[in-house]
């Protein structure tokens, strides 16, 4: 399984970006796909997840109402639409997929199986 993340960049506060995560190999039509992020000097944190089979979505409180995660079955791709970006959203964003994820574990990074290389998002004030 390989995950390729893209779409990061340098934007101003209030702008929008859309991240993409394209999967190849046995990316599975089950389990959870998610985005995590890691800011300099901080631990990696959960951002959003989507359950592949049901399309149910889950968000960190810090991004709820601003970010939207979605998936495209045909393309084996997950998107993260980020609106109203803030300087505190600056981080490297990682996509990941896990087949063992359940509702009590989708926010735990070590439960995921495969990770993309990360894409930098920088939001200037």
């Amino acid at each position: 399984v390989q995950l390729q993340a893209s779409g990061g960049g340098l934007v101003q506060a209030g702008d929008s970006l859309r991240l993409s995560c394209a999967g190849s190999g046995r990316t599975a039509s089950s389990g959870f796909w998610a985005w995590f992020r890691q800011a300099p000097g901080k631990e990696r944190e959960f951002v959003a997840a989507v359950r592949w089979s049901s399309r149910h979505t889950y968000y960190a409180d810090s991004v709820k109402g601003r970010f939207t995660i979605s998936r495209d079955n045909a393309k084996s791709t997950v998107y993260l639409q980020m609106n109203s970006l803030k300087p505190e959203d600056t981080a490297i964003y990682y996509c990941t997929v896990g087949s063992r994820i359940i509702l009590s574990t989708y926010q735990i990074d070590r439960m995921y199986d495969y990770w993309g290389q990360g894409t930098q998002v920088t939001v200037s004030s």
Side-chain angles (χ1 to χ4, degrees), residues 59-78:
Y59 298 94
D61 288 343
S62 59
V63 306
K64 202 170 293 183
R66 299 188 298 121
F67 290 12
T68 302
I69 188 170
S70 62
R71 61 160 179 72
D72 184 325
N73 280 12
K75 297 181 179 179
S76 293
T77 298
V78 170

Side-chain angles (χ1 to χ4, degrees), residues 9 11 14 36 44 69 99 113:
V11 297
F36 284 74
R44 187 161 55 189
I69 188 170
S99 61
D113 303 314

Side-chain angles (χ1 to χ4, degrees), residues 16-56:
S16 298
L17 277 176
R18 188 177 81 156
L19 306 183
S20 299
C21 177
S24 61
R26 293 185 62 185
T27 49
S29 58
S30 62
F32 282 70
W33 287 59
W35 289 94
F36 284 74
R37 67 186 181 186
Q38 187 166 21
K42 295 187 177 181
E43 293 187 353
R44 187 161 55 189
E45 64 174 2
F46 169 77
V47 175
V50 58
R51 194 167 191 169
W52 194 263
S53 59
S54 66
R55 295 196 178 190
H56 287 166

